[in-house]
Amino acid sequence: MPSLRFSPGVTSSIISIRRASSMAPPKLNDPSLFKQNACYVNGEWRAAKSGKTFKVNDPSTGEFIGSSPEFDVADTNSAILAAADAFPSFRAKTGRERAKLLRRWFDELNANAEDIAKLITWENGKPINDAKGESAYAASFLEWFSEEAPRIYGDTINSSNPANRIITVKEPVGVCGLITPWNFPAAMITRKVAPALAAGCTVVCKAPAETPFTALALAELAHRAGIPKGVVNVVTALDNTIEIGKLLTTSPTIKKVSFTGSTGVGKILMKQSSDTLKKLSMELGGNSPFIVFDDADVDAAVAGAVVSKFRSSGQTCVCANRLYVQSSIYDQFIRKFTEAVKSFSVGNGFDEGITHGPLIHDRAIDKVDSHVRDAEKKGATITIGGQKLPNLGANFFQPTVIRDMTADMAIATEETFGPVAGVFSFDTEAEVVRLANQSDVGLAGYFFSRDISRVFRVAEALEVGMIGVNTGLISDPASPFGGVKQSGFGREGSKYGLAEFQTIKSVTFGDMGKPLQGKL
């Protein structure tokens, strides 16, 4: 498929564009990793009892990739029962034993990283280099939590009663229901499953219907690593997604639900979980502010904005959504930012040199286009991009920069989840902090400044769960990932991510204070 490059001189024009041609499916080094028509339950591959499947299509070409099982409530309940049966013996393993299992899974993923990347690009659309990065990122969670598993410590606590002694122990919460998104089909699974297993939990993972094959390949690698049967179960569905979500949130056997997705769906799942008072962690929508102060290194800020806004074509929950640039450097930033975007190449993720692929489906395209048209209608100026790319395929949209943004435009309050950067101007530090915090959500925020006093002031004032200072990339398995306000609660990654899958039990020993007899 040909690439698409933007002309250096004309707003939203292009050098050349040719109608996309069909491409052969990617060749896996190990074709057995491509699992069709079966889910992984209790250590074996099972079709849906109904025999039903759903189709998965390549977002770049629209062509058929393969079929995945349409699991229903009964199918999924069998996975829950398998996880429940496996839990007593798995929780009894030592942390070191669980660490070795996770390490073997990490080794399997590393050995098959190229194939996992190919599956990601095939069903998600992101460029192959980005997919390779995600494959490594996914593996890093297995490695990190394999190292955390042997280090699950309790505490000793001084009692107010001198005759008592108090200790605490950390225990696995139980069977966990995990619901993962399509934008990082490998990393979002390992970021949840790895800490669950490190803590001693067993899991049922509902894979996204848009990208099921990456999840199923990971399950195959878990099987090869020797993860005991029933400990990891992966189910898929399209039409039955809502019913399966309801089962995971209402089943008394499930003790914990972890969800990554939209705020709206998160609220529904939270309500459904209330009757059984499950432990929950929710990583929900964002509307990340990206602030550039006039004392910043403008070139570094442009580079940070490019990676933060346009990584995965803007389809990440921590993407910069509202870019605020101080008025004295506003024009300079816009000029350099637009020039940077002109270097992008848009096309099929398997093609050499492609920097940006398609959006996931037509609904994503429609939302992006509506945000651009809304801004344009209300007086904003498009400096580059702004159009659909039907000649490449139905799911392609030009990477776009829009200047002269105002607070009444949709991008100011809604998450775009696409390759559109709306740039606002501001005058003072107090003003931009107020604007940044005028949001119901608070997942991530970024700002660029070389004033150390300002760095601490602004970092403390922004109402978000994660902050990047002079960087557009904040994801790291060692760092806690999560938000505040309506971006959810709970943390993934880091030692805090392990705690999400544990409960704390206190043990009090009485009659411990009798004096020693005789001489010492």
Side-chain angles (χ1 to χ4, degrees):
M1 181 183 292
S3 66
L4 170 67
R5 292 188 182 275
F6 297 105
S7 170
V10 183
T11 298
S12 71
S13 67
I14 56 176
I15 291 177
S16 65
I17 183 169
R18 297 192 303 274
R19 186 172 299 278
S21 58
S22 298
M23 295 185 65
K27 293 183 179 179
L28 301 182
N29 299 317
D30 182 357
S32 67
L33 287 175
F34 181 48
K35 297 294 185 182
Q36 287 199 77
N37 304 318
C39 290
Y40 187 68
V41 175
N42 203 29
E44 60 185 22
W45 293 96
R46 297 183 185 178
K49 292 179 181 177
S50 66
K52 294 181 179 179
T53 61
F54 61 91
K55 295 180 178 180
V56 181
N57 296 321
D58 183 338
S60 287
T61 64
E63 294 181 354
F64 174 69
I65 294 176
S67 297
S68 198
E70 184 66 64
F71 261 38
D72 59 19
V73 168
D75 294 315
T76 305
N77 198 52
S78 68
I80 293 173
L81 294 176
D85 288 344
F87 177 63
S89 59
F90 190 69
R91 71 170 296 176
K93 290 185 179 296
T94 66
R96 180 64 62 189
E97 288 173 321
R98 296 195 295 270
K100 290 178 179 178
L101 290 170
L102 285 168
R103 182 70 195 195
R104 288 203 292 267
W105 195 3
F106 166 77
D107 291 338
E108 288 287 344
L109 180 46
N110 272 345
N112 293 276
E114 184 177 352
D115 280 348
I116 295 299
K118 288 177 181 178
L119 288 171
I120 292 170
T121 295
W122 197 10
E123 60 184 358
N124 171 278
K126 67 178 63 176
I128 189 64
N129 285 338
D130 286 358
K132 289 178 180 178
E134 182 186 342
S135 183
Y137 185 46
S140 73
F141 287 106
L142 299 174
E143 180 181 41
W144 173 266
F145 285 108
S146 74
E147 296 164 347
E148 289 292 292
R151 297 175 177 85
I152 298 174
Y153 304 134
D155 295 301
T156 60
I157 301 171
N158 292 327
S159 173
S160 59
N161 183 342
N164 290 350
R165 301 292 184 271
I166 303 171
I167 65 170
T168 65
V169 293
K170 294 179 181 179
E171 298 183 336
V173 66
V175 179
C176 301
L178 313 177
I179 305 174
T180 62
W182 51 262
N183 57 341
F184 287 88
M188 295 303 96
I189 289 177
T190 59
R191 195 164 76 180
K192 295 179 187 297
V193 175
L197 268 58
C201 300
T202 57
V203 304
V204 177
C205 179
K206 165 61 175 68
E210 296 88 349
T211 58
F213 298 121
T214 301
L216 295 171
L218 291 175
E220 171 62 21
L221 296 179
H223 182 83
R224 296 179 188 181
I227 304 295
K229 70 176 185 177
V231 171
V232 174
N233 305 272
V234 178
V235 304
T236 67
L238 175 62
D239 292 339
N240 294 328
T241 293
I242 293 176
E243 288 79 5
I244 290 176
K246 187 173 183 180
L247 174 64
L248 293 177
T249 51
T250 59
S251 169
T253 305
I254 299 285
K255 305 302 182 184
K256 151 91 181 190
V257 168
S258 176
F259 169 70
T260 298
S262 73
T263 298
V265 174
K267 290 178 179 180
I268 293 171
L269 296 175
M270 188 174 178
K271 289 178 181 178
Q272 291 174 175
S273 299
S274 63
D275 283 347
T276 51
L277 290 176
K278 297 188 190 308
K279 188 178 177 79
L280 298 173
S281 53
M282 298 278 177
E283 195 263 282
L284 308 177
N287 189 353
S288 300
F290 185 103
I291 304 167
V292 184
F293 291 101
D294 58 9
D295 62 358
D297 179 330
V298 175
D299 291 332
V302 167
V306 165
V307 70
S308 178
K309 172 67 259 185
F310 291 108
R311 184 166 59 108
S312 296
S313 295
Q315 298 177 112
T316 85
C317 55
V318 292
C319 271
N321 199 64
R322 299 167 289 154
L323 282 72
Y324 296 102
V325 180
Q326 202 151 16
S327 54
S328 60
I329 59 169
Y330 186 80
D331 289 335
Q332 178 188 8
F333 180 89
I334 290 289
R335 183 176 65 255
K336 291 187 174 186
F337 192 34
T338 301
E339 286 296 320
V341 174
K342 287 175 183 174
S343 69
F344 294 173
S345 293
V346 181
N348 188 294
F350 286 111
D351 281 355
E352 185 176 354
I354 292 300
T355 60
H356 295 79
L359 301 191
I360 191 66
H361 45 49
D362 57 354
R363 299 187 302 281
I365 287 287
D366 290 343
K367 184 175 185 180
V368 168
D369 188 59
S370 70
H371 277 192
V372 173
R373 303 285 78 83
D374 172 79
E376 194 175 35
K377 179 181 178 181
K378 294 175 180 176
T381 301
I382 299 171
T383 68
I384 192 167
Q387 301 296 327
K388 299 177 183 179
L389 295 170
N391 287 48
L392 278 181
N395 296 330
F396 287 90
F397 198 94
Q398 291 177 334
T400 301
V401 176
I402 309 176
R403 62 169 295 156
D404 307 322
M405 295 292 296
T406 56
D408 63 331
M409 297 172 185
I411 292 175
T413 55
E414 299 176 15
E415 185 178 26
T416 304
F417 226 68
V420 177
V423 189
F424 301 73
S425 177
F426 73 92
D427 292 318
T428 68
E429 180 182 310
E431 174 193 6
V432 76
V433 169
R434 176 179 56 80
L435 290 170
N437 288 340
Q438 282 181 345
S439 175
D440 290 336
V441 294
L443 189 57
Y446 309 83
F447 66 91
F448 280 69
S449 172
R450 287 181 285 194
D451 181 334
I452 191 64
S453 297
R454 170 176 278 165
V455 164
F456 277 90
R457 284 196 308 270
V458 175
E460 292 169 0
L462 290 177
E463 296 172 353
V464 295
M466 299 171 285
I467 292 175
V469 180
N470 296 325
T471 180
L473 280 175
I474 57 175
S475 297
D476 187 306
S479 177
F481 192 102
V484 298
K485 299 196 282 191
Q486 294 193 37
S487 286
F489 45 84
R491 294 296 180 265
E492 295 186 319
S494 80
K495 65 178 183 179
Y496 303 105
L498 183 61
E500 296 291 337
F501 293 91
Q502 297 172 318
T503 58
I504 296 175
K505 178 182 287 182
S506 65
V507 182
T508 301
F509 299 85
D511 196 25
M512 301 290 287
K514 292 182 179 180
L516 297 172
Q517 302 295 321
K519 293 184 178 180
L520 296 179

